[in-house]
Amino acid sequence: MTPETAAAYSLLNAQAVRDRAHRMLAIGLDGKLPNFRVDLERLDDTVDLVLSVMKENYPTLDVPFHSRWRHFVTWGFDRHAQLADDLTDKMARARSDFDLAIISVLLDAGAGPRWRYRDPVTTGDLARSEGLAVASLNLFARGDFSSRRGDGANQLRVDADALKNLDTATLRDGFQVTGDNPLVGLEGRADILRSLGRLVSQRPEIFALHDTPRPGGFFDHLIAKADGGGAISAPLILSELLLQFGPIWPSRLTLGGVPLGDCWRHPSLSTADATNGLVPLHKLSQWLAYSLIEPLQWAGFTVTDIDGLTGLAEYRNGGLFVDTGVLALRDPAEAMREHDVASPLVVEWRALTVALLDRLAEALRRRLDMDPTTLPLAKVLEGGTWAAGRQIARDKRADGAPPIKVISDGTVF
């Protein structure tokens, strides 16, 4: 292994995300970042808002994990539970749940402010993450990602062959996209799924241990790494996701021949090795890691060190800190412009978000006399910062959009 390859692998884990995010925050607290000022005196106000939203949504503070499974429950109707009842074999259900989580999370980048999904069950309209979740679940349920479509419960799966040949029109129809109902990054979403299909086909030793090649075969790969007591650490879930799924992402940064995924350059973050200037964030992969915890638990495995994952560098969490004044643009006019996801401004914002979520979680636990075991970051996010970020965005802007405009290709935000 070359030094560059070893350096690349050092970025493919949650600790690297956390370490570099906190380095970015330290630079910001010294007033040396080019795009943002950081005002920690405003953090208490942010904690107040998050605590208020958490108590309103979960009065007993019995908060579930932040994961894709929350978005399958709308208007009191749990769509996934109904599907899961059709799969009685525990291991078969786990593979199916992995299939669904992986596909749905990969389709979960920002939808844009104009898109809506008309739920065929309730006829209600859903937007953003909830709409994307229900749309992807309905595509899964009707077998659009399966090679066994029309075979009852046996079609509740995702097959590599079906993904490789996925027509963008299938997603366009499934997401009800029209000229008047545009979905940001539709082609990018389809490309990601086709790329996933090709990868899964090429890696039977990972994705076809007990079945034909399917994303859900990652379940069998993962549980083979459990310790003797059936425990798997959350950071291990992420590391394996980054290692095994890395090649599916669009052509971005590579180092030593290793694709770095959701990792970007920022001039303020310097190191003495080949990773100089690189800022790993791994937002969708961490969102997926969080979303695989419950299927593992349902299958009888224990997931440990959940707080070893980081907060998610996305626009609801990041918008919360901007809208509450913890973060302020040095040039307010930048809020009126659109920014590429690779721009230093966006990279800086996202890294600061990860570090500030740790600070906020610590302050919230002190207020509630709780600890990382009773209130892990996964619950702070759900309770929590994501909901508070959405609420304050709606209060400040009629369309509920984030305070900073990011150009999305459907594969990051």
Side-chain angles (χ1 to χ4, degrees), residues 293-370:
I293 291 173
E294 286 156 292
L296 285 164
Q297 292 174 332
W298 297 333
F301 294 87
T302 300
V303 179
T304 60
D305 193 17
I306 293 172
D307 243 32
L309 300 177
T310 77
L312 301 181
E314 52 81 56
Y315 66 85
R316 288 302 180 208
N317 291 318
L320 171 68
F321 293 115
V322 174
D323 282 336
T324 57
V326 177
L327 296 178
L329 286 163
R330 290 188 178 277
D331 179 2
E334 295 288 6
M336 306 305 296
R337 304 183 182 110
E338 289 190 332
H339 301 275
D340 189 89
V341 71
S343 68
L345 185 147
V346 173
V347 176
E348 192 174 309
W349 179 37
R350 298 180 71 206
L352 289 169
T353 296
V354 170
L356 288 169
L357 285 168
D358 280 345
R359 292 282 191 112
L360 184 147
E362 292 169 3
L364 191 62
R365 289 169 188 144
R366 287 195 296 270
R367 294 268 194 100
L368 295 171
D369 193 25
M370 300 174 81

Side-chain angles (χ1 to χ4, degrees), residues 192-256:
I192 280 286
L193 295 191
R194 287 189 286 262
S195 180
L196 175 63
R198 292 190 293 271
L199 174 75
V200 170
S201 292
Q202 294 162 4
R203 302 290 303 279
E205 73 280 9
I206 302 296
F207 298 104
L209 292 174
H210 295 288
D211 202 343
T212 52
R214 59 190 293 192
F218 183 66
F219 167 76
D220 298 294
H221 169 76
L222 203 54
I223 63 173
K225 297 182 176 295
D227 66 19
I232 302 169
S233 78
L236 175 64
I237 298 173
L238 176 65
S239 294
E240 286 297 318
L241 282 170
L242 293 171
L243 185 65
Q244 306 303 340
F245 288 83
I248 73 171
W249 300 108
S251 180
R252 294 180 183 150
L253 296 176
T254 61
L255 181 62

